[in-house]
Coordinates of all heavy atoms in Angstrom, one line a residue:
V29 N 0.8 -1.2 0.0 CA 0.0 0.0 0.0 C 0.9 1.2 0.0 O 1.7 1.4 0.9 CB -0.9 0.0 1.2 CG1 -1.8 1.3 1.3 CG2 -1.9 -1.2 1.2
A30 N 0.7 2.1 -1.0 CA 1.5 3.3 -1.2 C 2.9 3.0 -1.3 O 3.8 3.8 -0.8 CB 1.1 4.3 -0.1
R31 N 3.3 1.9 -1.9 CA 4.7 1.5 -2.1 C 4.8 0.9 -3.5 O 3.9 0.2 -3.9 CB 5.2 0.6 -1.1 CG 5.1 1.1 0.3 CD 5.9 0.2 1.3 NE 5.8 0.8 2.7 CZ 6.6 1.8 3.1 NH1 7.5 2.2 2.3 NH2 6.4 2.3 4.3
T32 N 6.0 1.2 -4.1 CA 6.3 0.5 -5.4 C 7.8 0.5 -5.5 O 8.5 1.4 -5.1 CB 5.6 1.2 -6.6 OG1 6.0 0.5 -7.8 CG2 6.1 2.7 -6.7
T33 N 8.3 -0.5 -6.2 CA 9.7 -0.6 -6.6 C 10.0 0.2 -7.8 O 11.2 0.3 -8.2 CB 10.2 -2.0 -6.7 OG1 9.4 -2.7 -7.7 CG2 10.0 -2.8 -5.4
D34 N 9.0 0.7 -8.5 CA 9.2 1.5 -9.7 C 9.7 2.9 -9.4 O 9.0 3.7 -8.9 CB 7.9 1.6 -10.5 CG 8.0 2.1 -11.9 OD1 9.0 2.9 -12.1 OD2 7.1 1.9 -12.7
T35 N 11.0 3.1 -9.7 CA 11.6 4.4 -9.4 C 11.1 5.6 -10.2 O 11.5 6.7 -9.9 CB 13.1 4.3 -9.4 OG1 13.5 3.9 -10.8 CG2 13.6 3.3 -8.4
S36 N 10.2 5.3 -11.2 CA 9.6 6.4 -11.9 C 8.4 7.0 -11.1 O 7.9 8.1 -11.5 CB 9.1 6.0 -13.3 OG 10.2 5.6 -14.1
Y37 N 8.0 6.3 -10.1 CA 6.8 6.7 -9.4 C 6.9 6.7 -7.8 O 6.1 7.2 -7.2 CB 5.6 5.7 -9.7 CG 5.2 5.8 -11.2 CD1 5.6 4.9 -12.1 CD2 4.5 6.9 -11.6 CE1 5.3 5.0 -13.4 CE2 4.1 7.0 -13.0 CZ 4.5 6.0 -13.8 OH 4.2 6.1 -15.2
N38 N 8.1 6.2 -7.3 CA 8.2 6.3 -5.9 C 9.1 7.5 -5.5 O 9.3 8.4 -6.3 CB 8.8 4.9 -5.3 CG 10.2 4.6 -5.9 OD1 10.9 5.5 -6.3 ND2 10.6 3.4 -5.9
I39 N 9.5 7.5 -4.2 CA 10.2 8.7 -3.7 C 11.5 9.0 -4.4 O 12.0 10.1 -4.3 CB 10.3 8.5 -2.1 CG1 10.7 9.9 -1.5 CG2 11.4 7.5 -1.8 CD1 9.6 10.9 -1.5
V40 N 12.0 8.0 -5.0 CA 13.3 8.2 -5.8 C 13.1 9.2 -6.9 O 14.0 10.0 -7.1 CB 13.8 6.8 -6.4 CG1 15.0 7.1 -7.3 CG2 14.1 5.8 -5.3
K41 N 11.9 9.3 -7.5 CA 11.6 10.3 -8.5 C 11.7 11.7 -7.9 O 12.2 12.6 -8.5 CB 10.2 10.0 -9.1 CG 9.8 11.0 -10.2 CD 10.6 10.8 -11.4 CE 10.0 11.6 -12.6 NZ 10.8 11.5 -13.8
V42 N 11.2 11.8 -6.7 CA 11.3 13.1 -6.0 C 12.8 13.5 -5.7 O 13.2 14.6 -5.9 CB 10.5 13.0 -4.6 CG1 10.7 14.3 -3.8 CG2 9.1 12.8 -4.9
G43 N 13.6 12.5 -5.3 CA 15.0 12.7 -5.2 C 15.7 13.2 -6.5 O 16.6 14.0 -6.4
D44 N 15.2 12.6 -7.6 CA 15.8 13.0 -8.9 C 15.6 14.5 -9.1 O 16.4 15.2 -9.6 CB 15.1 12.2 -10.0 CG 15.6 10.8 -10.2 OD1 16.7 10.6 -9.8 OD2 14.9 10.0 -10.8
E45 N 14.4 15.0 -8.7 CA 14.0 16.4 -8.9 C 14.8 17.3 -8.0 O 15.3 18.3 -8.5 CB 12.5 16.6 -8.7 CG 12.0 17.9 -9.2 CD 11.9 18.0 -10.7 OE1 12.4 17.1 -11.4 OE2 11.5 19.1 -11.2
I46 N 15.1 16.9 -6.8 CA 15.9 17.7 -5.9 C 17.3 17.7 -6.4 O 18.0 18.8 -6.4 CB 15.8 17.1 -4.5 CG1 14.4 17.2 -3.9 CG2 16.8 17.8 -3.6 CD1 14.2 16.5 -2.6
A47 N 17.8 16.6 -6.8 CA 19.2 16.5 -7.4 C 19.3 17.4 -8.6 O 20.3 18.1 -8.8 CB 19.6 15.1 -7.7
R48 N 18.3 17.4 -9.5 CA 18.4 18.2 -10.7 C 18.5 19.7 -10.4 O 19.3 20.4 -11.0 CB 17.1 17.9 -11.6 CG 17.1 18.7 -12.9 CD 15.8 18.4 -13.7 NE 14.7 19.0 -13.0 CZ 14.3 20.2 -13.2 NH1 15.0 21.1 -13.9 NH2 13.2 20.7 -12.6
I49 N 17.7 20.2 -9.4 CA 17.7 21.6 -9.1 C 19.0 21.9 -8.4 O 19.6 23.0 -8.7 CB 16.5 21.9 -8.1 CG1 15.1 21.6 -8.8 CG2 16.6 23.3 -7.6 CD1 14.9 22.5 -10.0
F50 N 19.5 21.1 -7.5 CA 20.8 21.4 -6.9 C 21.9 21.5 -7.9 O 22.7 22.4 -7.8 CB 21.1 20.3 -5.9 CG 20.5 20.4 -4.6 CD1 20.7 19.4 -3.6 CD2 19.7 21.5 -4.2 CE1 20.1 19.4 -2.3 CE2 19.1 21.5 -2.9 CZ 19.3 20.5 -2.0
E51 N 21.9 20.6 -8.9 CA 22.9 20.7 -9.9 C 22.8 21.9 -10.8 O 23.8 22.6 -11.1 CB 22.9 19.4 -10.8 CG 23.3 18.2 -10.0 CD 23.0 16.9 -10.8 OE1 22.3 16.9 -11.8 OE2 23.5 15.8 -10.3
E52 N 21.6 22.3 -11.1 CA 21.4 23.6 -11.8 C 21.9 24.8 -11.1 O 22.4 25.7 -11.7 CB 19.9 23.8 -12.1 CG 19.3 22.9 -13.2 CD 17.8 23.2 -13.5 OE1 17.3 24.1 -12.8 OE2 17.2 22.6 -14.3
M53 N 21.8 24.7 -9.7 CA 22.3 25.8 -8.9 C 23.8 25.8 -8.7 O 24.4 26.7 -8.1 CB 21.6 25.8 -7.6 CG 20.1 26.0 -7.7 SD 19.2 26.0 -6.1 CE 19.7 27.6 -5.4
G54 N 24.5 24.7 -9.1 CA 25.9 24.7 -9.0 C 26.5 23.8 -7.9 O 27.7 23.7 -7.7
L55 N 25.6 23.0 -7.3 CA 26.1 22.1 -6.2 C 26.5 20.8 -6.9 O 25.9 20.4 -7.9 CB 25.0 21.8 -5.2 CG 24.6 23.0 -4.3 CD1 23.3 22.7 -3.6 CD2 25.7 23.2 -3.2
N56 N 27.4 20.1 -6.3 CA 27.9 18.8 -6.8 C 27.2 17.7 -6.0 O 27.4 17.6 -4.8 CB 29.4 18.7 -6.7 CG 30.0 17.5 -7.5 OD1 29.3 16.5 -7.7 ND2 31.2 17.6 -7.9
V57 N 26.3 16.9 -6.7 CA 25.4 16.0 -6.0 C 25.5 14.6 -6.5 O 25.7 14.4 -7.7 CB 23.9 16.5 -6.3 CG1 22.9 15.6 -5.5 CG2 23.8 18.0 -5.8
L58 N 25.4 13.7 -5.6 CA 25.2 12.2 -5.9 C 23.8 11.8 -5.5 O 23.3 12.3 -4.4 CB 26.2 11.4 -5.2 CG 27.7 11.5 -5.7 CD1 28.6 10.6 -4.8 CD2 27.8 11.0 -7.1
H59 N 23.1 11.0 -6.3 CA 21.8 10.5 -5.9 C 21.9 9.0 -5.9 O 22.0 8.3 -6.9 CB 20.7 11.0 -6.9 CG 19.4 10.5 -6.5 ND1 18.3 10.6 -7.4 CD2 18.8 10.1 -5.3 CE1 17.2 10.1 -6.8 NE2 17.5 9.9 -5.5
D60 N 21.8 8.4 -4.7 CA 21.8 7.0 -4.4 C 20.3 6.5 -4.6 O 19.4 6.9 -3.8 CB 22.3 6.7 -3.1 CG 22.3 5.2 -2.7 OD1 22.0 4.4 -3.6 OD2 22.6 4.9 -1.5
Q61 N 20.1 5.7 -5.6 CA 18.7 5.2 -5.8 C 18.4 3.8 -5.3 O 17.4 3.1 -5.7 CB 18.4 5.2 -7.3 CG 18.5 6.6 -7.9 CD 18.1 6.7 -9.4 OE1 17.6 5.7 -9.9 NE2 18.4 7.8 -10.1
T62 N 19.3 3.3 -4.4 CA 19.1 2.0 -3.9 C 17.8 1.8 -3.1 O 17.5 2.7 -2.3 CB 20.3 1.7 -2.9 OG1 21.5 1.8 -3.6 CG2 20.2 0.2 -2.4
L63 N 17.2 0.7 -3.3 CA 15.9 0.4 -2.5 C 16.3 -0.3 -1.2 O 16.2 -1.5 -1.0 CB 15.0 -0.5 -3.3 CG 14.6 0.0 -4.7 CD1 13.7 -1.0 -5.4 CD2 14.0 1.4 -4.7
Y64 N 16.7 0.5 -0.2 CA 17.2 0.0 1.1 C 16.0 -0.7 1.9 O 16.3 -1.5 2.8 CB 17.8 1.1 1.9 CG 19.1 1.6 1.4 CD1 19.3 2.9 0.9 CD2 20.2 0.8 1.3 CE1 20.5 3.3 0.4 CE2 21.4 1.2 0.9 CZ 21.6 2.5 0.4 OH 22.8 2.9 -0.1
D65 N 14.8 -0.4 1.6 CA 13.7 -1.0 2.3 C 13.0 -2.2 1.6 O 12.0 -2.6 2.1 CB 12.6 0.1 2.6 CG 12.0 0.7 1.4 OD1 12.7 0.6 0.3 OD2 10.9 1.2 1.4
Y66 N 13.7 -2.7 0.6 CA 13.1 -3.8 -0.1 C 14.1 -4.9 -0.3 O 15.3 -4.6 -0.8 CB 12.6 -3.3 -1.5 CG 11.8 -4.4 -2.3 CD1 10.5 -4.6 -2.0 CD2 12.4 -5.2 -3.2 CE1 9.8 -5.6 -2.7 CE2 11.7 -6.1 -3.9 CZ 10.4 -6.3 -3.6 OH 9.7 -7.3 -4.3
P67 N 13.8 -6.1 0.0 CA 12.5 -6.6 0.4 C 12.2 -6.5 1.9 O 11.1 -6.8 2.4 CB 12.6 -8.1 0.0 CG 14.0 -8.4 0.2 CD 14.8 -7.2 -0.2

């Protein structure tokens, strides 16, 4: 319920957006997309 391993629709997608904005602003960012809570 309210969970998916599809990173196009879970909280990883939100992380992608934060990373994109940070990089546009000049910060050097890494985004770890590992599913630490699965299984």
Side-chain angles (χ1 to χ4, degrees):
V29 177
R31 298 190 180 280
T32 182
T33 57
D34 189 337
T35 57
S36 295
Y37 295 102
N38 63 24
I39 195 66
V40 173
K41 181 70 173 180
V42 174
D44 283 337
E45 193 70 357
I46 295 172
R48 181 181 70 82
I49 298 297
F50 277 177
E51 289 169 349
E52 285 183 358
M53 297 179 74
L55 291 165
N56 193 331
V57 181
L58 289 176
H59 184 197
D60 178 8
Q61 300 186 12
T62 304
L63 304 182
Y64 289 114
D65 61 338
Y66 187 84

